[in-house]
């Protein structure tokens, strides 16, 4: 069989992942799904591609930079502005997460921690993907604000639950891991301040590289804690955002744009690598039926819950409530990450693993199918300036 691990092979892969998926977006196929499909094809046709350490490194850069960008997107002022509805949203999300955990235990006969991870995989919006595609969905300013706020709030809750569940093997491990995480959060501002005082004045324009470097180191450290790369990278982005007044260049608009471009280059490798590592046993008809069943049961429930919150608690009109709810449907990245953890740590059946992949694909395609040029909205709303999340106004 042909091999990827040649100079020509890598060049062909870069071309395929950066050009072809973007071209397929005109047919309403999200680029991450195309990259994932390419990975599946590569696993079947290229020898040893799943053991390629270079590809693994590129994938790690992708997922880390994506969550670094998601952390940088947090705007405390915006979260305060929507604090009441956001608190209600997180309260409802906590209840639905608990109910989903109980349902997963009953339906799939899983232990509580695996069932909770499965519930997170099904219920958590993929904030990085949502923020990247938000400007193309035709939402107005208020709708984009609420989608951004709810997605970020839901991600914060999901990361907290993920940390607790993965460290709940024993109270001692949970205690030590929590102390290590708190220490990391406390030391990050000190590290950024030191870099800003002793490095940046002598290396103009180095803020971007320092931010990415710290993000990767923190991602590696949280991976060693057993809570995956995304937690550390997200924390670095969040801390950098909170330090914006003291260190304006660190989370400046230019740096945010640079991190977004950096992530957009490497993220396709993460989805490709995820496709490459799908086990052969997951490629069965039962996976399709499981995925369709999950989508049919969970997606209307998720959309209905958010719609009811917007309609009856915030008193939004029904059409706007539906647009916000549908825009929050994609779960792609969280589903892929948690499906991998469930497979590695809890040995879930291949059919369930494959079903989660199908579910992630369906929820990810839904906004593109429903909200592209939705409800005759004004096309001027699709201008480049409208693509900035409202939290950063």
């Amino acid at each position: 069989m042909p091999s990827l691990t040649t100079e020509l092979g890598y060049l062909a892969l870069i071309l395929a992942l950066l050009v072809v998926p973007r071209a397929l977006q005109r047919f309403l196929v999200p680029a991450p799904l195309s990259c994932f499909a390419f990975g599946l094809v590569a696993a079947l046709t290229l020898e040893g591609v799943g053991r390629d350490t270079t590809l693994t490194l590129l994938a790690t850069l992708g997922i880390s930079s994506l969550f670094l960008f998601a952390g940088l997107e947090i705007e405390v002022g915006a979260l305060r502005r929507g604090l009441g509805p956001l608190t209600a949203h997180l309260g409802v999300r906590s209840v639905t997460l608990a109910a989903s955990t109980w349902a997963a235990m009953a339906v799939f006969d899983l232990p509580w921690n695996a069932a909770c991870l499965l519930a997170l995989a099904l219920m958590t919006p993929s904030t990085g993907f949502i923020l990247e595609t938000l400007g193309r969905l035709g939402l107005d300013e208020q709708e984009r604000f609420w989608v951004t706020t709810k997605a970020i709030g839901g991600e914060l809750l999901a990361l907290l639950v993920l940390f607790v569940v993965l460290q709940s093997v024993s109270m001692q491990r949970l205690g030590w891991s929590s102390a290590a995480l708190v220490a990391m959060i406390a030391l990050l501002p000190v590290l950024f301040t030191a870099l800003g005082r002793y490095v940046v004045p002598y290396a103009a324009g180095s803020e971007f590289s320092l931010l990415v470097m710290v993000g990767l180191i923190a991602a590696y450290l949280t991976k060693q804690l057993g809570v995956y790369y995304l937690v550390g990278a997200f924390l670095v982005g969040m801390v950098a955002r909170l330090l914006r007044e003291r260190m304006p260049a660190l989370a400046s608009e230019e740096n945010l744009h640079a991190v977004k471009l950096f992530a957009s280059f490497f993220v396709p490798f993460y989805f490709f690598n995820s496709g490459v590592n799908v086990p052969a046993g997951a490629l069965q008809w039962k996976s399709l039926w499981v995925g369709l069943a999950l989508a049919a049961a969970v997606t209307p429930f998720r959309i209905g819950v958010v719609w009811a919150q917007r309609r009856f608690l915030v008193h939004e009109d029904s059409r706007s409530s539906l647009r916000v709810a549908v825009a929050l449907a994609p779960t792609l990245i969280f589903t892929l990450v948690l499906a991998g953890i469930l497979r590695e740590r809890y040995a879930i059946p291949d059919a369930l693993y494959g079903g989660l992949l199908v579910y992630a694909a369906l929820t990810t395609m839904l906004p593109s199918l429903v909200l592209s040029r939705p409800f005759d909205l004004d096309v001027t709303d699709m201008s480049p300036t409208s693509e900035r999340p409202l939290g950063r106004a």
Side-chain angles (χ1 to χ4, degrees):
M1 289 187 179
S3 175
L4 172 69
T5 56
T6 64
E7 184 175 305
L8 183 60
Y10 284 123
L11 289 174
L13 178 62
I14 292 172
L15 176 65
L17 294 183
L18 298 185
V19 177
V20 178
R22 300 297 180 182
L24 293 177
Q25 282 185 324
R26 64 180 298 181
F27 303 109
L28 302 182
V29 179
L33 295 185
S34 300
C35 296
F36 185 83
F38 291 166
L40 284 176
V41 174
L44 298 173
T45 58
L46 299 177
E47 184 177 359
V49 65
R51 299 185 297 274
D52 187 352
T53 55
T54 301
L55 183 59
T56 302
L57 174 61
L58 295 174
T60 301
L61 288 172
I63 190 65
S64 301
S65 59
L66 183 65
F67 274 82
L68 175 64
F69 175 71
L72 287 167
E73 285 287 316
I74 290 179
E75 176 57 57
V76 176
L79 294 179
R80 287 200 193 103
R81 180 152 58 101
L83 183 60
L86 178 60
T87 301
H89 173 72
L90 294 181
V92 172
R93 180 170 291 278
S94 300
V95 173
T96 57
L97 181 61
S100 301
T101 300
W102 176 84
M105 292 172 65
V107 174
F108 298 105
D109 193 26
L110 296 172
W112 75 268
N113 41 11
C116 188
L117 294 181
L118 178 59
L120 282 176
L122 295 173
M123 305 294 289
T124 306
S126 184
T127 302
F129 176 81
I130 290 171
L131 294 182
E132 184 183 356
T133 60
L134 195 56
R136 297 192 291 270
L137 297 181
L139 306 180
D140 62 32
E141 284 194 4
Q142 190 69 5
E143 290 164 352
R144 289 199 304 276
F145 169 77
W146 285 115
V147 170
T148 301
T149 302
K150 289 177 181 292
I152 290 175
E155 185 166 77
L156 287 169
L157 176 64
L159 289 173
L160 176 62
V161 174
L162 175 65
F163 175 79
V164 172
V165 171
L166 291 179
Q167 299 304 308
S168 61
V169 176
S170 68
M171 291 303 298
Q172 183 179 16
R173 177 171 176 177
L174 179 60
W176 280 111
S177 298
S178 300
L181 197 63
V182 170
M184 179 186 296
I185 295 173
L187 289 174
L188 281 173
V190 178
L191 176 59
F192 277 129
T193 301
L195 291 173
R197 179 174 299 177
Y198 300 111
V199 176
V200 173
Y202 308 101
S206 62
E207 294 88 355
F208 165 74
S209 57
L210 293 175
L211 183 61
V212 172
M213 177 197 72
V214 175
L216 291 175
I217 292 173
Y220 173 78
L221 291 177
T222 54
K223 179 64 166 63
Q224 298 308 303
L225 287 176
V227 290
Y228 209 71
Y229 299 104
L230 49 86
V231 175
F234 185 87
L235 287 175
V236 169
M238 184 175 67
V239 170
R241 185 70 180 193
L242 293 174
L243 291 173
R244 190 171 187 177
E245 290 187 7
R246 293 168 55 187
M247 303 178 65
L250 192 62
S252 64
E253 293 294 326
E254 292 77 11
N255 247 12
L256 264 68
H257 184 64
V259 172
K260 184 176 181 179
L261 289 177
F262 185 85
S264 68
F265 180 86
F266 287 103
V267 163
F269 294 98
Y270 171 76
F271 293 111
F272 178 83
N273 191 55
S274 298
V276 162
N277 288 288
V278 172
L283 303 178
Q284 54 178 291
W285 285 110
K286 188 176 180 180
S287 296
L288 176 62
W289 306 133
V290 170
L292 291 174
L294 289 173
V298 177
T299 306
F301 172 72
R302 292 177 57 220
I303 291 175
V305 168
V306 176
W307 178 88
Q309 291 178 57
R310 304 299 305 163
R311 185 73 181 90
F312 299 112
L313 296 181
V314 189
H315 306 294
E316 231 173 24
D317 67 82
S318 59
R319 288 156 64 93
S320 183
S321 300
L322 182 61
R323 287 195 289 266
V324 170
V326 171
L328 287 167
T331 65
L332 182 63
I333 297 170
F334 253 88
T335 303
L336 289 179
V337 169
L338 292 174
I341 294 174
L342 285 166
R343 177 174 162 242
E344 293 170 8
R345 296 196 178 192
Y346 300 99
I348 61 172
D350 285 344
L352 178 56
Y353 177 84
L356 287 172
L357 303 183
V358 174
Y359 171 83
L362 294 175
T363 60
T364 300
M365 292 184 65
L366 183 62
S368 298
L369 297 175
V370 175
L371 295 180
S372 291
R373 298 188 178 276
F375 309 110
D376 298 324
L377 289 178
D378 186 354
V379 294
T380 58
D381 191 53
M382 298 294 288
S383 63
T385 56
S386 71
E387 296 186 8
R388 289 176 50 190
L390 269 291
R392 294 164 46 201

